[in-house]
Amino acid sequence: FGGSKKYPALAPDTSAAKKLKSINDPLVKLSQDVSETIEVIPAEDSAFVFIGKPPKNFGMAWIEDGKLHSFKTLSEEKGVPQNKLLKLSESLANAYRKSDSHDRYSTTIGNRVVTVTPSQKLAKEVQQILASA
């Protein structure tokens, strides 16, 4: 009957927590705009967000330069066709599957509990996949 997995709390003095704090405003907005579960992968100057239930049924958003991006913005702003978005989604699902053994934590963003996966390996892979668009 589901329910989300319980992860240990993300310590506030970690680099992942500090990265999340630096992009708090767009993360709070995203957490208010979506009802599905959220998993954040903090990166150097950005964050990648799996929305829903990866690797099977999920959406993707990312924050760069303080702005929120998604497949919709890729399609609208860069003219990425639907079939390319589907391939990106498949690649992201594969990257997520490979991250199964990575440590995950929970933290509160806005008034929502979200999962945080502070994996530079996963962040780099997601970044490369999105850059291929």
Side-chain angles (χ1 to χ4, degrees):
F1 289 2
S4 58
K5 292 181 182 176
K6 301 285 185 207
Y7 297 110
L10 180 68
D13 60 345
T14 61
S15 65
K18 291 172 186 165
K19 287 175 188 174
L20 293 179
K21 190 174 179 112
S22 74
I23 54 170
N24 187 61
D25 290 347
L27 280 175
V28 168
K29 180 170 178 8
L30 179 65
S31 75
Q32 293 168 343
D33 290 349
V34 300
S35 59
E36 297 91 350
T37 59
I38 296 173
E39 182 168 347
V40 183
I41 296 88
E44 209 48 51
D45 298 320
S46 56
F48 304 102
V49 184
F50 284 92
I51 301 165
K53 295 183 167 110
K56 291 187 178 172
N57 187 13
F58 69 95
M60 188 81 207
W62 56 99
I63 298 165
E64 289 180 323
D65 301 324
K67 293 183 183 168
L68 190 59
H69 303 276
S70 66
F71 280 173
K72 184 178 179 188
T73 59
L74 269 183
S75 178
E76 290 172 354
E77 294 172 9
K78 295 189 177 182
V80 177
Q82 190 67 31
N83 62 342
K84 176 77 171 167
L85 294 177
L86 286 172
K87 286 183 178 152
L88 288 175
S89 190
E90 288 172 24
S91 297
L92 289 166
N94 288 333
Y96 188 87
R97 281 185 196 95
K98 290 190 280 186
S99 77
D100 258 1
S101 64
H102 296 199
D103 290 335
R104 286 177 165 77
Y105 301 91
S106 65
T107 193
T108 301
I109 294 177
N111 58 0
R112 299 233 350 238
V113 174
V114 301
T115 302
V116 180
T117 306
S119 166
Q120 286 307 304
K121 184 178 180 185
L122 179 56
K124 279 190 168 100
E125 192 167 355
V126 169
Q127 192 168 29
Q128 289 170 343
I129 291 166
L130 293 172
S132 73

